[in-house]
Amino acid sequence: MNFKKYIKAVGTGPKGNRDLEAEEVIDAISSILDNKVTQSQIGAFLIAWRTKLETNDELIAAVKALKKYVKYQKIENSIELGYSFDGRTNNPFLFPLYENILKEFFEKNKDVKELNLVISGDFLQPAKNGITTKEVFNSLDLKQHVFFFDRVEYLKELSDITPLRHELGLRTVFNTIEKLLNPGESEYGVTTAFHKPYVKKYLAMFKEYYKEVLVVKASEGSPEVFKDGKYWKEVNGEIVEIPFSLKDFGISYDKTYENITLEEALEIVKNPDEEIIKLAKFNIALYLVFAKRVDSLEEAWKRLN
């Protein structure tokens, strides 16, 4: 195997670069995860590939390559929440509140099919600092409705590249493809994007692994909504955009934090105020819609309250 040919394909320059074939992407990613190439070669390839800009077809192949290494454990009746693996600095995580909200919801709405939430996490990844899902989950005791998958256990090969990724200090293809690898074999998946081109990328990359994938415009690389936004899904080959406004549901939230600490984030969810609770319920309402447990946000909100 001559890994240098992949570096040359993506790192020669505008006139010499070419897109990689699916088999080449899978071979390159596999060589990286199997530690068959040097750290210098890996770094050169990842940076050059990012600079060239990965095509949708290359990203789809990269996801396939990663999924060959995933250790799966099925969580029935679940939706995967695709959080980014870099840090959160401006908002607390809301998912610690979801378990009790869902428990109460299903006790009162026995006609609705159960829904569990799957979240993945790992050590902090580039490109920014902050707190992670792993840190928060390890500080709490969540055992029902919210399931956490530690990448050290379900995809150790990628987790082991963390030191190299920090040494590079830049986003790479892994930042794009790591959020929805579905270790819980969930039926539905949702992640977040700010720019329309990435909506198309995420839907293309992940749709074959779920009944349906949705992309929501949310905060800090996670499918947690803190302000007005929208979500996208594919219907008959077309991307449909659905907007929402928090004020329509009586929610007025305008808090922001600067470099929120783990202790501050935990205190917020251990002693939540009314607005945080309403915000968490709104996010649950979105997930109930995404997983087709209810027909509309209005129905979900009414049932939750």
Side-chain angles (χ1 to χ4, degrees):
M1 189 277 298
N2 181 12
F3 193 79
K4 292 180 182 178
K5 69 180 182 182
Y6 301 139
I7 300 175
K8 183 177 180 180
V10 299
T12 301
K15 292 184 178 180
N17 285 347
R18 66 173 178 84
D19 296 336
L20 298 172
E21 299 292 335
E23 295 78 10
E24 292 179 311
V25 172
I26 292 171
D27 184 45
I29 295 292
S30 298
S31 298
I32 291 170
L33 296 186
D34 291 336
N35 203 27
K36 291 182 177 179
V37 291
T38 68
Q39 298 286 286
S40 296
Q41 288 176 315
I42 295 171
F45 173 72
L46 292 177
I47 292 173
W49 197 15
R50 181 71 179 181
T51 303
K52 178 187 80 71
L53 295 179
E54 309 96 343
T55 66
N56 282 9
D57 286 342
E58 288 174 327
L59 292 171
I60 290 169
V63 171
K64 290 187 184 217
L66 283 187
K67 287 183 71 66
K68 290 183 177 181
Y69 292 80
V70 173
K71 294 179 175 65
Y72 298 95
Q73 181 182 344
K74 187 173 181 61
I75 303 299
E76 299 287 349
N77 303 317
S78 64
I79 180 171
E80 182 176 19
L81 309 183
Y83 289 76
S84 67
F85 284 69
D86 56 8
R88 172 171 289 189
T89 59
N90 300 328
N91 295 287
F93 283 104
L94 296 176
F95 72 80
L97 299 172
Y98 293 164
E99 187 160 281
N100 287 337
I101 293 172
L102 282 169
K103 181 180 178 182
E104 181 179 338
F105 175 82
F106 287 114
E107 285 174 352
K108 295 180 179 179
N109 296 272
K110 298 188 182 300
D111 61 312
V112 179
K113 186 178 179 181
E114 183 182 29
L115 180 64
N116 296 308
L117 310 180
V118 170
I119 297 170
S120 299
D122 196 359
F123 303 112
L124 182 71
Q125 305 295 327
K128 67 176 185 177
N129 294 316
I131 57 176
T132 65
T133 58
K134 181 172 181 173
E135 290 175 307
V136 173
F137 201 93
N138 286 343
S139 302
L140 301 168
D141 185 25
L142 303 177
K143 295 180 179 177
Q144 182 182 3
H145 292 301
V146 180
F147 295 83
F148 181 78
F149 281 74
D150 190 335
R151 190 161 63 186
V152 172
E153 299 172 358
Y154 76 83
L155 186 48
K156 185 176 185 298
E157 293 84 355
L158 183 55
S159 182
D160 286 346
I161 300 175
T162 296
L164 173 62
R165 293 174 66 181
H166 277 291
E167 188 174 347
L168 296 175
L170 300 170
R171 293 181 63 86
T172 69
V173 66
F174 293 124
N175 292 77
T176 303
I177 65 178
E178 65 191 355
K179 294 199 290 184
L180 278 182
L181 294 178
N182 203 10
E185 297 183 293
S186 301
E187 297 174 290
Y188 300 91
V190 55
T191 189
T192 184
F194 289 98
H195 307 296
K196 193 69 173 286
Y198 271 86
V199 173
K200 296 179 180 179
K201 287 181 184 292
Y202 286 133
L203 293 177
M205 280 189 288
F206 299 116
K207 65 181 180 181
E208 71 174 277
Y209 305 109
Y210 302 87
K211 283 186 177 179
E212 186 169 41
V213 174
L214 301 101
V215 181
V216 62
K217 186 175 183 180
S219 299
E220 294 194 88
S222 76
E224 291 186 351
V225 169
F226 286 82
K227 56 186 178 181
D228 297 350
K230 60 190 74 173
Y231 65 90
W232 299 269
K233 62 180 181 177
E234 188 173 306
V235 179
N236 298 323
E238 298 292 329
I239 296 178
V240 176
E241 179 179 295
I242 299 98
F244 53 79
S245 174
L246 295 186
K247 67 181 181 181
D248 293 340
F249 299 87
I251 302 172
S252 175
Y253 184 85
D254 58 3
K255 292 182 181 178
T256 58
Y257 299 84
E258 185 174 348
N259 297 321
I260 190 170
T261 65
L262 177 61
E263 292 72 22
E264 289 172 326
L266 291 174
E267 178 62 24
I268 290 167
V269 293
K270 286 178 179 178
N271 297 286
D273 61 26
E274 182 180 353
E275 287 303 312
I276 281 287
I277 290 291
K278 289 199 297 187
L279 205 53
K281 283 186 174 182
F282 181 80
N283 280 275
I284 291 293
L286 282 172
Y287 307 149
L288 290 169
V289 172
F290 295 165
K292 302 187 186 308
R293 268 36 180 195
V294 295
D295 294 327
S296 67
L297 266 176
E298 289 73 20
E299 179 191 350
W301 186 249
K302 183 176 180 181
R303 284 175 177 260
L304 281 162
N305 292 281

